[in-house]
mmCIF file of all heavy atoms in Angstrom:
data_model
loop_
_atom_site.group_PDB
_atom_site.id
_atom_site.type_symbol
_atom_site.label_atom_id
_atom_site.label_comp_id
_atom_site.label_asym_id
_atom_site.label_seq_id
_atom_site.Cartn_x
_atom_site.Cartn_y
_atom_site.Cartn_z
ATOM 1 N N GLU N 194 -28.866 -21.579 -39.349
ATOM 2 C CA GLU N 194 -29.035 -20.629 -40.422
ATOM 3 C C GLU N 194 -28.046 -19.433 -40.354
ATOM 4 O O GLU N 194 -27.467 -18.956 -41.343
ATOM 5 C CB GLU N 194 -30.459 -20.057 -40.429
ATOM 6 C CG GLU N 194 -31.507 -21.123 -40.872
ATOM 7 C CD GLU N 194 -32.892 -20.644 -40.681
ATOM 8 O OE1 GLU N 194 -33.111 -19.541 -40.128
ATOM 9 O OE2 GLU N 194 -33.798 -21.326 -41.126
ATOM 10 N N VAL N 195 -27.823 -19.013 -39.075
ATOM 11 C CA VAL N 195 -26.820 -17.964 -38.868
ATOM 12 C C VAL N 195 -25.432 -18.449 -39.276
ATOM 13 O O VAL N 195 -24.644 -17.714 -39.997
ATOM 14 C CB VAL N 195 -26.812 -17.545 -37.405
ATOM 15 C CG1 VAL N 195 -25.634 -16.628 -37.116
ATOM 16 C CG2 VAL N 195 -28.098 -16.825 -37.047
ATOM 17 N N ALA N 196 -25.090 -19.699 -38.870
ATOM 18 C CA ALA N 196 -23.782 -20.198 -39.298
ATOM 19 C C ALA N 196 -23.654 -20.323 -40.803
ATOM 20 O O ALA N 196 -22.598 -20.002 -41.374
ATOM 21 C CB ALA N 196 -23.576 -21.578 -38.636
ATOM 22 N N LEU N 197 -24.723 -20.682 -41.444
ATOM 23 C CA LEU N 197 -24.700 -20.762 -42.964
ATOM 24 C C LEU N 197 -24.522 -19.395 -43.572
ATOM 25 O O LEU N 197 -23.683 -19.227 -44.543
ATOM 26 C CB LEU N 197 -26.035 -21.359 -43.479
ATOM 27 C CG LEU N 197 -26.193 -22.898 -43.401
ATOM 28 C CD1 LEU N 197 -27.583 -23.320 -43.635
ATOM 29 C CD2 LEU N 197 -25.246 -23.587 -44.387
ATOM 30 N N GLU N 198 -25.204 -18.379 -43.082
ATOM 31 C CA GLU N 198 -25.097 -17.046 -43.610
ATOM 32 C C GLU N 198 -23.744 -16.493 -43.377
ATOM 33 O O GLU N 198 -23.164 -15.782 -44.254
ATOM 34 C CB GLU N 198 -26.191 -16.167 -43.016
ATOM 35 C CG GLU N 198 -27.588 -16.484 -43.460
ATOM 36 C CD GLU N 198 -28.644 -15.719 -42.726
ATOM 37 O OE1 GLU N 198 -28.387 -15.312 -41.563
ATOM 38 O OE2 GLU N 198 -29.755 -15.569 -43.279
ATOM 39 N N LEU N 199 -23.174 -16.721 -42.211
ATOM 40 C CA LEU N 199 -21.793 -16.227 -42.009
ATOM 41 C C LEU N 199 -20.775 -16.889 -42.863
ATOM 42 O O LEU N 199 -19.854 -16.254 -43.390
ATOM 43 C CB LEU N 199 -21.429 -16.395 -40.529
ATOM 44 C CG LEU N 199 -22.136 -15.511 -39.500
ATOM 45 C CD1 LEU N 199 -21.762 -15.936 -38.101
ATOM 46 C CD2 LEU N 199 -21.781 -14.068 -39.739
ATOM 47 N N ALA N 200 -20.988 -18.203 -43.054
ATOM 48 C CA ALA N 200 -20.032 -18.951 -43.921
ATOM 49 C C ALA N 200 -20.194 -18.526 -45.390
ATOM 50 O O ALA N 200 -19.173 -18.524 -46.173
ATOM 51 C CB ALA N 200 -20.325 -20.440 -43.851
ATOM 52 N N ALA N 201 -21.415 -17.982 -45.763
ATOM 53 C CA ALA N 201 -21.597 -17.483 -47.098
ATOM 54 C C ALA N 201 -21.129 -16.057 -47.297
ATOM 55 O O ALA N 201 -21.310 -15.464 -48.357
ATOM 56 C CB ALA N 201 -23.060 -17.652 -47.512
ATOM 57 N N GLY N 202 -20.612 -15.514 -46.245
ATOM 58 C CA GLY N 202 -20.100 -14.076 -46.312
ATOM 59 C C GLY N 202 -21.071 -13.019 -46.038
ATOM 60 O O GLY N 202 -20.857 -11.897 -46.326
ATOM 61 N N GLN N 203 -22.199 -13.339 -45.378
ATOM 62 C CA GLN N 203 -23.154 -12.342 -44.945
ATOM 63 C C GLN N 203 -22.579 -11.489 -43.874
ATOM 64 O O GLN N 203 -22.022 -11.932 -42.899
ATOM 65 C CB GLN N 203 -24.478 -13.024 -44.461
ATOM 66 C CG GLN N 203 -25.251 -13.795 -45.528
ATOM 67 C CD GLN N 203 -26.109 -12.905 -46.374
ATOM 68 O OE1 GLN N 203 -26.156 -11.674 -46.087
ATOM 69 N NE2 GLN N 203 -26.746 -13.413 -47.379
ATOM 70 N N ASP N 204 -22.643 -10.175 -44.044
ATOM 71 C CA ASP N 204 -22.101 -9.234 -43.075
ATOM 72 C C ASP N 204 -23.271 -8.509 -42.388
ATOM 73 O O ASP N 204 -23.756 -7.552 -42.882
ATOM 74 C CB ASP N 204 -21.193 -8.204 -43.762
ATOM 75 C CG ASP N 204 -20.480 -7.330 -42.776
ATOM 76 O OD1 ASP N 204 -20.897 -7.334 -41.610
ATOM 77 O OD2 ASP N 204 -19.611 -6.620 -43.242
ATOM 78 N N PHE N 205 -23.713 -8.993 -41.244
ATOM 79 C CA PHE N 205 -24.867 -8.456 -40.537
ATOM 80 C C PHE N 205 -24.555 -7.067 -40.007
ATOM 81 O O PHE N 205 -25.470 -6.174 -39.944
ATOM 82 C CB PHE N 205 -25.282 -9.381 -39.395
ATOM 83 C CG PHE N 205 -25.857 -10.686 -39.899
ATOM 84 C CD1 PHE N 205 -25.054 -11.875 -39.799
ATOM 85 C CD2 PHE N 205 -27.100 -10.850 -40.468
ATOM 86 C CE1 PHE N 205 -25.540 -13.051 -40.243
ATOM 87 C CE2 PHE N 205 -27.607 -12.028 -40.931
ATOM 88 C CZ PHE N 205 -26.790 -13.163 -40.786
#
Side-chain angles (χ1 to χ4, degrees):
E194 290 173 354
V195 171
L197 281 168
E198 290 172 337
L199 288 175
Q203 293 280 356
D204 186 349
F205 295 103

